[in-house]
Amino acid sequence: MSEFRDTKERPLDVLVWGATGYTGKLVAEYLAEHYGQGELRWGIAGRSQQKLEDVRTQLTRRRAFLADLPLVVADAHDPVSLRRMVAQTRAICSTVGPFALHGSALVAACVQERTHYADITGEVQWVRRMIDEHHDAASDAGVRIVPCCGFDSIPSDLGVQMMVEHLRDVHHQETRLVRQVFGPSRGGVSGGTVASLLNVIEESSRDRTLRRLLADPYALDPKGSPKTPSSPDQKGPAYDPDLRCWTAPFVMAAINTRVVRRSHALLGRTYGPRFQYGESMLSGEGPWGALASVGVSAALVGGLGALAIPPVRALLKRFVLPEPGDGPSEATRERGFFRSWLVAEGEGGAKVFGRVAGHKDPGYQETAKMLAESVICLALDQDQLTSGGGLLTPASAMGRVLRERLVRAGMTFQIDDGGSR
Ligand SMILES: NC(=O)c1ccc[n+]([C@@H]2O[C@H](COP(=O)([O-])OP(=O)(O)OC[C@H]3O[C@@H](n4cnc5c(N)ncnc54)[C@H](OP(=O)(O)O)[C@@H]3O)[C@@H](O)[C@H]2O)c1
C-alpha cells in the first residue's frame, strides 16, 4: 500500500497513535516540549478528527509552530485506515489500550507496511499472541515491533542489560544472577491502566490456558527455548542481605521478568548460560520492614483475589476506579518519582550494585518520556541499532542506544561497582 518504498522517504519520522487519550497526550506534550521546529517530523493520530484538532490546539498554546502538526485518523478496528496511517511514517507508537482489545490490527499493519513500532502494554497474554502471529514475518521484513516500552518494562529490561554489560566489559564475567528491588515510588493510576488490568483478570477468569501462561516465568520466551535453571517468581516476604531490606512480591514482575528473560533469549543467551532474574518491591528495613513485607504480600494476593470476583470488579469500576481518559493530576505527576536498586553477581564472584530511577510519575510522565524516546530511537537511530526485525524487547531491539537517550532525557541508569545501596 505504501507509495514510499524506502521508509526514509516517508513524510513523517514518528506518529503518536492514541494522542487523544490520557497517556498519548503526555507523549505528544513531551515531543512538543523537547523537540523544536525542524528537529523531528512528527504527527498525532486517533479515531476522532475533532478530538485530534483539540489536542493540536492545546499543543499550539505551548509551541506556535505546531499549528501545522499533521493529524491522521484511524480506527483500531478498520485495517485499511491503519495501513494508510502507518505507511506515512517510519515509526509509530501506540497508547491505544487495552491492547488485547484494540492493539492487534495495528501490529499486523506495521509488519505489512514495514513500519517500526513501540507501545506501552503490560499485557503478557497479548504480547504472547503477537509473538506467535508476527515474530517470523517481522523478522523476515526487518521490522522492529517493540512492546513494553513504558514503566513496564524499560527500567527492568535496560537496567538488567546495563548490569550484564558491566560484568562482561569490566569484570570479564558472565552473569549468574540479577535482582532488582523497586521502591520507594510515588505516582497515580489512569483509567486506561485500570481497564487493561481488569481485562486481563476477566480474560484469565474464563480461560485456564491463559492462567497457566500468566504463571509461566518464561511466558514470552521463543518456543523451544531451554528453561533451566528455573527462575521462580517471589511469592511472599523475603529478606535481601545485599540490599539489607525486606521485600514483597511486585505486581509488575509478572510482565517485567518475562520481558527480561525474552531479551536474554533473543540476544542468544549471552547474559550467561545460568542467568537468573528476580524482581520485588521494597518494604523497608528492620522489624517494621519485615511486618510491611508480610502485609504487602497478603494485600497483593487478597487484592488480586478480590478483583477476580465479578461483582467486586463491577462495584469498583462504578464507584472507585478512574474512567478511560482520566488519570493523575499534573501536580501528582510532577511530585511523582521511582527508584529501583539492582544487585548483579558474576560467575567469577564479582558483585555489582546499580540504580535505575525516574524523577516524575513513573506510570505517566516517565512512561511518556520512555515511549517517546523509544519510537524516536526506532525512527532515527537505525544506523546504530544492531538488532534485526521481529517481536522484540526494548533491550534486544535498542539496548544501549536507548539507554543513552533516556539518560540524556534525565533518567538515571547508574552502576555502583564496589558500593552498596
Ligand atoms: N506500561 C506502562 O507503564 C503504562 C503506563 C500508562 C498506561 N499504560 C497503558 O496504556 C494504555 C492507555 O492508557 P490511558 O490511560 O492513556 O488510556 P485512555 O486515556 O483510555 O486512552 C485510550 C486511547 O485509545 C483510543 N482508542 C480507544 N478505542 C479506539 C479505537 N477503536 N480506535 C482508535 N483509538 C481508540 C482512545 O481514543 P478516544 O480519545 O477517541 O476515546 C484514547 O486515545 C492502557 O492499556 C494502559 O494500561 C501503560
Side-chain angles (χ1 to χ4, degrees):
M1 179 178 273
S2 175
E3 56 188 290
F4 309 102
R5 289 191 62 75
D6 183 348
T7 59
K8 286 186 184 157
E9 291 169 9
R10 294 184 180 182
L12 296 174
D13 297 319
V14 161
L15 253 180
V16 181
W17 191 52
T20 58
Y22 182 80
T23 316
K25 254 184 229 165
L26 295 177
V27 177
E29 284 171 13
Y30 178 87
L31 294 177
E33 199 75 31
H34 294 89
Y35 289 84
Q37 192 162 15
E39 279 185 75
L40 182 74
R41 300 172 309 154
W42 65 284
I44 56 175
R47 62 176 161 175
S48 154
Q49 174 78 24
Q50 185 56 54
K51 280 191 179 180
L52 288 169
E53 282 173 16
D54 294 344
V55 173
R56 182 169 61 185
T57 304
Q58 285 165 24
L59 294 172
T60 309
R61 286 196 199 112
R62 294 173 181 227
R63 300 284 215 142
F65 69 84
L66 293 175
D68 293 330
L69 186 72
L71 311 180
V72 182
V73 176
D75 189 284
H77 306 287
D78 175 357
V80 175
S81 71
L82 294 174
R83 282 191 72 169
R84 210 178 294 127
M85 169 174 74
V86 303
Q88 299 179 42
T89 184
R90 299 175 77 181
I92 190 164
C93 66
S94 172
T95 60
V96 174
F99 288 83
L101 300 181
H102 305 308
S104 305
L106 180 69
V107 172
C110 285
V111 175
Q112 284 162 341
E113 295 294 335
R114 295 181 299 117
T115 302
H116 302 295
Y117 166 98
D119 74 29
I120 51 170
T121 187
E123 299 161 50
V124 174
Q125 86 288 12
W126 179 71
V127 178
R128 179 74 253 173
R129 228 165 56 218
M130 294 302 98
I131 292 168
D132 293 341
E133 289 174 17
H134 300 294
H135 177 76
D136 292 345
S139 174
D140 291 346
V143 183
R144 298 182 180 98
I145 305 289
V146 195
C148 307
C149 294
F151 185 46
D152 28 353
S153 300
I154 279 188
S156 307
D157 201 27
L158 296 189
V160 170
Q161 190 180 37
M162 167 183 78
M163 304 302 280
V164 168
E165 286 177 1
H166 184 84
L167 278 173
R168 190 187 58 216
D169 298 346
V170 176
H171 295 273
H172 312 292
Q173 291 181 22
E174 289 177 320
T175 303
R176 193 180 66 74
L177 173 71
V178 180
R179 295 194 307 281
Q180 188 162 11
V181 178
F182 278 82
S185 70
R186 187 162 54 207
V189 70
S190 73
T193 298
V194 167
S196 300
L197 176 65
L198 293 182
N199 184 59
V200 175
I201 291 172
E202 267 159 30
E203 279 191 35
S204 61
S205 64
R206 290 193 301 266
D207 182 346
R208 194 205 238 166
T209 318
L210 178 51
R211 287 200 293 279
R212 227 177 284 131
L213 176 76
L214 295 178
D216 178 359
Y218 297 91
L220 299 182
D221 270 29
K223 287 253 152 66
S225 290
K227 297 196 177 189
T228 50
S230 70
S231 294
D233 296 325
Q234 182 168 327
K235 295 207 171 59
Y239 184 71
D240 191 311
D242 292 307
L243 296 172
R244 298 190 307 279
C245 64
W246 286 89
T247 63
F250 182 43
V251 70
M252 282 168 47
I255 176 76
N256 293 340
T257 54
R258 280 63 172 159
V259 170
V260 167
R261 290 181 196 121
R262 180 165 178 80
S263 291
H264 173 46
L266 289 176
L267 290 166
R269 311 195 84 75
T270 46
Y271 290 3
R274 299 201 303 158
F275 170 75
Q276 287 193 47
Y277 177 60
E279 197 169 273
S280 60
M281 188 170 85
L282 178 74
S283 48
E285 293 168 20
W288 289 113
L291 262 181
S293 74
V294 174
V296 171
S297 305
L300 186 69
V301 174
L304 289 176
L307 283 173
I309 303 167
V312 174
R313 272 203 309 273
L315 274 176
L316 287 175
K317 258 198 228 174
R318 176 123 191 248
F319 296 112
V320 182
L321 299 171
E323 295 282 323
D326 287 344
S329 67
E330 187 173 351
T332 303
R333 292 197 312 265
E334 286 295 317
R335 279 198 305 267
F337 69 93
F338 77 91
R339 292 185 201 127
S340 70
W341 316 91
L342 296 110
V343 188
E345 295 174 21
E347 286 289 2
K351 189 175 279 187
V352 177
F353 292 81
R355 198 156 72 89
V356 177
H359 310 287
K360 299 271 171 66
D361 183 317
Y364 298 97
Q365 213 80 26
E366 293 295 331
T367 284
K369 175 191 293 174
M370 289 185 254
L371 182 61
E373 294 295 343
S374 297
V375 72
I376 296 171
C377 182
L378 290 174
L380 300 187
D381 297 342
Q382 291 183 33
D383 296 345
Q384 297 172 61
L385 301 181
T386 51
S387 55
L391 240 296
L392 306 176
T393 57
S396 61
M398 297 172 275
R400 184 190 290 265
V401 182
L402 177 58
R403 208 162 73 221
E404 287 171 356
R405 266 190 174 278
L406 292 172
V407 169
R408 286 197 298 276
M411 278 182 71
T412 302
F413 282 87
Q414 195 177 304
I415 296 276
D416 187 7
D417 198 343
S420 62
R421 179 164 79 90

Coordinates of all heavy atoms in Angstrom, one line a residue, residues 17-25 45-48 51 74-78 82 94-102 119-123 148-153 189-197 252 255 323-327 362-364 366-368 370, ligand 1:
W17 N -0.1 7.4 18.1 CA -1.5 6.9 17.9 C -2.1 6.7 19.3 O -1.5 6.1 20.2 CB -1.5 5.6 17.2 CG -2.9 5.2 16.7 CD1 -3.8 5.9 16.0 CD2 -3.5 3.9 16.9 NE1 -4.9 5.2 15.8 CE2 -4.8 4.0 16.3 CE3 -3.1 2.7 17.6 CZ2 -5.6 2.9 16.4 CZ3 -4.0 1.7 17.6 CH2 -5.2 1.7 17.0
G18 N -3.3 7.4 19.5 CA -3.8 7.4 20.9 C -3.6 8.7 21.6 O -3.8 8.9 22.8
A19 N -3.3 9.7 20.7 CA -2.9 11.0 21.3 C -4.0 11.8 21.9 O -3.8 12.8 22.6 CB -2.3 11.9 20.2
T20 N -5.3 11.3 21.8 CA -6.4 11.9 22.4 C -6.7 11.3 23.8 O -7.5 11.8 24.6 CB -7.7 11.8 21.6 OG1 -7.9 10.3 21.4 CG2 -7.5 12.4 20.3
G21 N -5.9 10.3 24.2 CA -6.1 9.6 25.5 C -5.2 10.2 26.5 O -4.4 11.2 26.2
Y22 N -5.3 9.7 27.7 CA -4.6 10.3 28.9 C -3.0 10.3 28.6 O -2.3 11.3 28.7 CB -5.0 9.6 30.2 CG -4.3 10.2 31.3 CD1 -4.7 11.4 31.9 CD2 -3.1 9.7 31.8 CE1 -4.0 12.0 33.0 CE2 -2.4 10.3 32.9 CZ -2.9 11.4 33.4 OH -2.2 12.0 34.5
T23 N -2.5 9.1 28.4 CA -1.1 8.9 28.2 C -0.6 9.4 26.9 O 0.5 10.0 26.8 CB -0.7 7.4 28.4 OG1 -1.4 6.9 29.5 CG2 0.8 7.2 28.7
G24 N -1.4 9.2 25.8 CA -1.0 9.6 24.5 C -0.8 11.2 24.5 O 0.2 11.7 23.8
K25 N -1.6 11.9 25.2 CA -1.5 13.4 25.2 C -0.2 13.7 25.9 O 0.5 14.7 25.4 CB -2.6 13.9 26.1 CG -3.7 14.7 25.3 CD -4.7 15.3 26.2 CE -6.1 14.9 25.7 NZ -7.2 15.1 26.6
A45 N -2.2 10.9 16.0 CA -3.3 10.1 15.3 C -4.2 9.6 16.4 O -3.9 9.5 17.6 CB -2.6 8.9 14.6
G46 N -5.5 9.3 15.9 CA -6.5 8.8 16.8 C -7.7 8.5 15.9 O -7.7 8.6 14.7
R47 N -8.8 8.2 16.6 CA -10.0 7.8 15.8 C -11.0 9.0 15.6 O -11.9 8.8 14.9 CB -10.8 6.7 16.5 CG -11.3 7.0 17.9 CD -12.1 5.9 18.5 NE -12.2 6.1 19.9 CZ -12.9 5.3 20.7 NH1 -13.6 4.2 20.2 NH2 -13.0 5.5 22.0
S48 N -10.7 10.1 16.2 CA -11.6 11.3 16.1 C -10.9 12.5 15.6 O -10.0 13.0 16.3 CB -12.3 11.5 17.4 OG -12.7 12.9 17.5
K51 N -11.3 15.5 18.1 CA -10.5 15.4 19.3 C -9.0 15.7 19.0 O -8.3 16.3 19.8 CB -10.6 14.0 19.9 CG -11.9 13.8 20.8 CD -11.7 12.4 21.5 CE -12.9 12.1 22.4 NZ -12.7 10.9 23.1
A74 N -7.5 7.2 12.3 CA -7.5 5.7 12.0 C -8.2 5.0 13.2 O -7.9 5.4 14.3 CB -6.1 5.1 11.8
D75 N -9.0 4.0 12.9 CA -9.7 3.3 14.0 C -9.0 1.9 14.1 O -8.7 1.2 13.1 CB -11.2 3.1 13.6 CG -12.0 2.6 14.8 OD1 -11.9 1.4 15.1 OD2 -12.6 3.4 15.4
A76 N -9.0 1.5 15.4 CA -8.3 0.2 15.7 C -9.0 -1.0 15.0 O -8.3 -2.0 14.8 CB -8.5 0.0 17.2
H77 N -10.3 -0.8 14.6 CA -11.0 -2.0 14.0 C -11.2 -1.8 12.5 O -12.1 -2.4 11.9 CB -12.2 -2.2 14.8 CG -11.9 -2.4 16.3 ND1 -11.2 -3.5 16.7 CD2 -12.0 -1.6 17.3 CE1 -11.0 -3.4 18.0 NE2 -11.4 -2.2 18.4
D78 N -10.4 -0.8 11.9 CA -10.5 -0.6 10.5 C -9.1 -0.8 9.9 O -8.3 0.2 9.8 CB -11.1 0.8 10.2 CG -11.1 1.2 8.8 OD1 -10.6 0.4 7.9 OD2 -11.5 2.3 8.5
L82 N -5.7 1.7 9.2 CA -4.4 1.5 9.9 C -3.3 1.4 8.9 O -2.2 2.0 9.2 CB -4.5 0.3 10.8 CG -5.5 0.3 11.9 CD1 -5.6 -1.1 12.6 CD2 -5.2 1.4 12.9
S94 N 2.1 3.5 20.1 CA 0.7 3.4 20.4 C 0.4 3.4 21.9 O 1.1 2.7 22.7 CB 0.1 2.1 19.8 OG -1.2 1.9 20.3
T95 N -0.6 4.2 22.3 CA -1.1 4.1 23.7 C -2.6 3.7 23.7 O -3.3 4.1 24.6 CB -1.0 5.5 24.3 OG1 -1.7 6.5 23.6 CG2 0.5 6.0 24.4
V96 N -3.0 3.1 22.6 CA -4.4 2.7 22.5 C -4.6 1.3 23.2 O -4.3 0.3 22.6 CB -4.8 2.6 21.0 CG1 -6.3 2.1 20.8 CG2 -4.8 4.0 20.4
G97 N -5.1 1.4 24.4 CA -5.3 0.1 25.2 C -6.7 0.1 25.7 O -7.5 1.1 25.5
P98 N -7.1 -1.1 26.3 CA -6.4 -2.3 26.4 C -5.9 -2.8 25.1 O -6.7 -2.9 24.1 CB -7.4 -3.2 27.1 CG -8.4 -2.4 27.7 CD -8.5 -1.1 26.9
F99 N -4.7 -3.3 25.1 CA -4.1 -3.7 23.8 C -4.7 -5.0 23.3 O -4.8 -5.2 22.1 CB -2.5 -3.8 23.9 CG -1.9 -2.5 24.0 CD1 -1.8 -1.8 25.3 CD2 -1.4 -1.8 22.9 CE1 -1.3 -0.5 25.4 CE2 -0.8 -0.6 23.0 CZ -0.7 0.1 24.2
A100 N -5.1 -5.8 24.3 CA -5.7 -7.1 23.9 C -7.0 -6.8 23.1 O -7.5 -7.7 22.3 CB -6.0 -8.0 25.1
L101 N -7.7 -5.7 23.4 CA -8.9 -5.4 22.7 C -8.7 -4.5 21.5 O -9.5 -4.7 20.5 CB -9.8 -4.6 23.7 CG -10.2 -5.3 25.0 CD1 -11.2 -4.5 25.8 CD2 -10.9 -6.7 24.6
H102 N -7.7 -3.6 21.5 CA -7.6 -2.7 20.4 C -6.2 -2.7 19.7 O -6.1 -1.8 18.8 CB -7.8 -1.2 20.9 CG -9.1 -1.1 21.7 ND1 -10.3 -1.4 21.1 CD2 -9.3 -0.6 22.9 CE1 -11.3 -1.1 22.0 NE2 -10.7 -0.6 23.1
D119 N 5.1 0.3 21.9 CA 3.9 0.6 22.7 C 4.2 0.5 24.2 O 5.4 0.3 24.6 CB 2.8 -0.4 22.3 CG 2.9 -1.8 22.8 OD1 3.6 -2.0 23.9 OD2 2.4 -2.7 22.1
I120 N 3.2 0.6 25.0 CA 3.3 0.6 26.5 C 2.4 -0.5 27.1 O 2.0 -0.3 28.2 CB 3.1 2.0 27.1 CG1 1.7 2.5 26.7 CG2 4.2 2.9 26.9 CD1 1.3 3.8 27.5
T121 N 2.2 -1.5 26.4 CA 1.4 -2.6 27.0 C 2.1 -3.2 28.2 O 3.4 -3.2 28.2 CB 1.0 -3.7 26.0 OG1 0.1 -4.6 26.6 CG2 2.2 -4.5 25.5
G122 N 1.3 -3.8 29.1 CA 1.9 -4.7 30.1 C 1.1 -6.0 30.1 O 1.2 -6.7 31.1
E123 N 0.4 -6.3 29.0 CA -0.5 -7.4 28.9 C 0.3 -8.6 28.3 O 0.4 -8.8 27.1 CB -1.7 -7.1 28.1 CG -2.5 -5.9 28.7 CD -3.4 -5.2 27.6 OE1 -4.2 -5.9 26.9 OE2 -3.3 -4.0 27.5
C148 N 6.0 -3.0 25.4 CA 6.5 -2.8 26.8 C 7.6 -1.7 26.9 O 8.6 -1.9 27.6 CB 7.1 -4.2 27.3 SG 5.9 -5.5 27.2
C149 N 7.4 -0.6 26.2 CA 8.4 0.5 26.3 C 8.0 1.6 27.3 O 8.2 2.8 27.0 CB 8.6 1.1 24.9 SG 9.3 0.0 23.7
G150 N 7.2 1.2 28.3 CA 6.9 2.2 29.4 C 7.5 1.8 30.7 O 8.6 1.1 30.7
F151 N 6.9 2.2 31.8 CA 7.5 1.8 33.1 C 7.5 0.3 33.2 O 8.4 -0.3 33.8 CB 6.6 2.4 34.2 CG 7.1 2.2 35.6 CD1 8.4 2.4 35.9 CD2 6.2 1.8 36.6 CE1 8.9 2.2 37.2 CE2 6.7 1.6 37.9 CZ 8.0 1.8 38.2
D152 N 6.5 -0.4 32.6 CA 6.8 -1.8 32.3 C 7.1 -1.9 30.9 O 6.2 -1.5 30.1 CB 5.6 -2.8 32.7 CG 4.2 -2.2 32.7 OD1 4.0 -1.0 32.5 OD2 3.3 -3.0 32.9
S153 N 8.3 -2.2 30.5 CA 9.3 -2.9 31.3 C 10.7 -2.3 31.1 O 11.7 -3.0 31.3 CB 9.4 -4.4 30.9 OG 8.1 -5.0 31.0
V189 N -2.7 6.5 38.9 CA -3.1 5.5 38.0 C -4.2 6.0 37.1 O -5.0 6.9 37.5 CB -3.6 4.2 38.8 CG1 -4.9 4.5 39.5 CG2 -3.7 3.0 37.9
S190 N -4.2 5.6 35.8 CA -5.2 6.1 34.9 C -6.3 5.1 34.6 O -6.2 3.9 34.9 CB -4.5 6.5 33.6 OG -4.2 5.3 32.9
G191 N -7.4 5.6 34.0 CA -8.5 4.8 33.6 C -8.1 3.7 32.6 O -8.5 2.5 32.7
G192 N -7.2 4.0 31.7 CA -6.8 3.0 30.7 C -6.0 1.9 31.3 O -6.1 0.7 30.9
T193 N -5.2 2.2 32.3 CA -4.4 1.2 33.0 C -5.3 0.2 33.8 O -5.2 -1.0 33.7 CB -3.4 1.8 34.0 OG1 -2.5 2.6 33.2 CG2 -2.6 0.8 34.8
V194 N -6.3 0.8 34.4 CA -7.3 0.0 35.2 C -8.1 -0.9 34.2 O -8.2 -2.1 34.5 CB -8.3 1.0 36.0 CG1 -9.5 0.2 36.5 CG2 -7.5 1.6 37.1
A195 N -8.5 -0.3 33.1 CA -9.2 -1.1 32.1 C -8.4 -2.3 31.6 O -8.9 -3.4 31.4 CB -9.7 -0.2 30.9
S196 N -7.1 -2.0 31.4 CA -6.2 -3.1 30.9 C -6.1 -4.2 31.9 O -6.1 -5.4 31.6 CB -4.9 -2.5 30.5 OG -5.1 -1.6 29.5
L197 N -5.8 -3.8 33.2 CA -5.7 -4.8 34.2 C -7.0 -5.6 34.4 O -6.9 -6.9 34.5 CB -5.3 -4.1 35.6 CG -5.2 -5.0 36.8 CD1 -4.0 -6.0 36.6 CD2 -5.0 -4.2 38.1
M252 N 4.2 -5.7 39.1 CA 4.7 -5.6 37.7 C 5.8 -6.7 37.3 O 6.1 -6.8 36.1 CB 5.2 -4.2 37.4 CG 4.1 -3.3 37.2 SD 4.6 -1.6 37.3 CE 6.0 -1.7 36.2
I255 N 5.0 -9.0 34.3 CA 5.4 -8.7 32.9 C 6.9 -8.5 32.8 O 7.6 -9.0 31.9 CB 4.6 -7.5 32.4 CG1 5.1 -7.2 30.9 CG2 4.7 -6.3 33.2 CD1 4.6 -8.1 29.9
E323 N -12.1 6.5 35.2 CA -12.7 6.2 33.9 C -11.6 6.3 32.8 O -10.6 7.0 33.0 CB -13.7 7.2 33.5 CG -14.9 7.2 34.4 CD -15.9 6.1 34.1 OE1 -16.0 5.8 32.9 OE2 -16.4 5.5 35.0
P324 N -11.8 5.6 31.6 CA -10.9 5.8 30.5 C -10.8 7.3 30.2 O -11.8 8.0 30.2 CB -11.5 5.1 29.3 CG -12.2 3.9 30.0 CD -12.7 4.5 31.3
G325 N -9.6 7.8 29.9 CA -9.4 9.2 29.7 C -8.9 10.0 30.9 O -8.3 11.1 30.8
D326 N -9.2 9.5 32.1 CA -8.8 10.1 33.4 C -7.5 9.6 33.8 O -7.1 8.5 33.5 CB -9.8 9.9 34.5 CG -11.1 10.6 34.2 OD1 -11.1 11.6 33.4 OD2 -12.2 10.3 34.9
G327 N -6.8 10.4 34.7 CA -5.6 10.0 35.3 C -5.1 10.9 36.3 O -5.8 11.9 36.6
P362 N 6.1 7.7 37.6 CA 6.6 6.6 36.7 C 5.7 6.1 35.6 O 6.1 5.9 34.5 CB 6.9 5.5 37.7 CG 6.1 5.8 39.0 CD 6.0 7.3 39.0
G363 N 4.4 6.0 36.0 CA 3.4 5.4 35.0 C 3.0 6.3 33.9 O 2.5 5.9 32.9
Y364 N 3.3 7.6 34.1 CA 2.7 8.6 33.1 C 3.8 9.5 32.6 O 4.2 9.4 31.4 CB 1.5 9.3 33.7 CG 0.5 8.2 34.0 CD1 0.4 7.6 35.2 CD2 -0.2 7.6 32.9 CE1 -0.5 6.5 35.5 CE2 -1.0 6.5 33.1 CZ -1.2 6.0 34.4 OH -2.0 4.9 34.6
E366 N 7.1 9.7 33.2 CA 8.3 9.0 32.8 C 7.9 8.0 31.7 O 8.8 7.8 30.8 CB 8.9 8.2 34.0 CG 9.5 9.1 35.1 CD 10.7 10.0 34.7 OE1 11.4 9.5 33.8 OE2 10.8 11.1 35.2
T367 N 6.8 7.4 31.8 CA 6.4 6.5 30.7 C 6.3 7.2 29.4 O 6.7 6.7 28.3 CB 5.0 5.8 31.1 OG1 5.3 4.8 32.1 CG2 4.4 5.1 29.9
A368 N 5.7 8.4 29.4 CA 5.6 9.2 28.1 C 7.0 9.5 27.6 O 7.2 9.3 26.4 CB 4.9 10.5 28.4
M370 N 9.7 7.6 28.1 CA 10.3 6.3 27.7 C 9.7 5.9 26.3 O 10.5 5.5 25.4 CB 10.1 5.2 28.7 CG 10.9 5.4 30.0 SD 10.7 4.0 31.1 CE 9.7 4.8 32.4
Ligands
LIG1 N1 3.4 0.4 30.6 C1 3.1 1.4 31.3 O1 3.9 1.8 32.1 C2 1.8 2.1 31.1 C3 1.6 3.4 31.6 C4 0.4 4.0 31.3 C5 -0.6 3.4 30.5 N2 -0.3 2.2 30.0 C6 -1.3 1.5 29.1 O2 -1.6 2.4 28.1 C7 -2.9 2.2 27.7 C8 -3.7 3.6 27.6 O3 -3.9 4.1 28.9 P1 -4.6 5.5 29.1 O4 -4.9 5.7 30.5 O5 -3.8 6.5 28.3 O6 -6.0 5.2 28.3 P2 -7.1 6.2 27.7 O7 -6.9 7.6 28.3 O8 -8.4 5.5 27.9 O9 -6.7 6.3 26.2 C9 -7.0 5.3 25.3 C10 -6.8 5.8 23.9 O10 -7.2 4.8 23.0 C11 -8.1 5.4 22.0 N3 -9.0 4.4 21.4 C12 -9.9 3.6 22.1 N4 -10.6 2.8 21.2 C13 -10.1 3.1 20.0 C14 -10.3 2.7 18.7 N5 -11.3 1.8 18.4 N6 -9.6 3.2 17.6 C15 -8.6 4.1 17.9 N7 -8.4 4.6 19.1 C16 -9.1 4.1 20.1 C17 -8.8 6.4 22.7 O11 -9.4 7.3 21.8 P3 -10.6 8.3 22.2 O12 -10.0 9.5 22.9 O13 -11.2 8.7 20.9 O14 -11.5 7.6 23.1 C18 -7.7 7.1 23.5 O15 -6.9 7.9 22.7 C19 -3.5 1.2 28.6 O16 -3.5 -0.1 28.0 C20 -2.6 1.2 29.8 O17 -2.6 0.0 30.5 C21 0.8 1.5 30.3

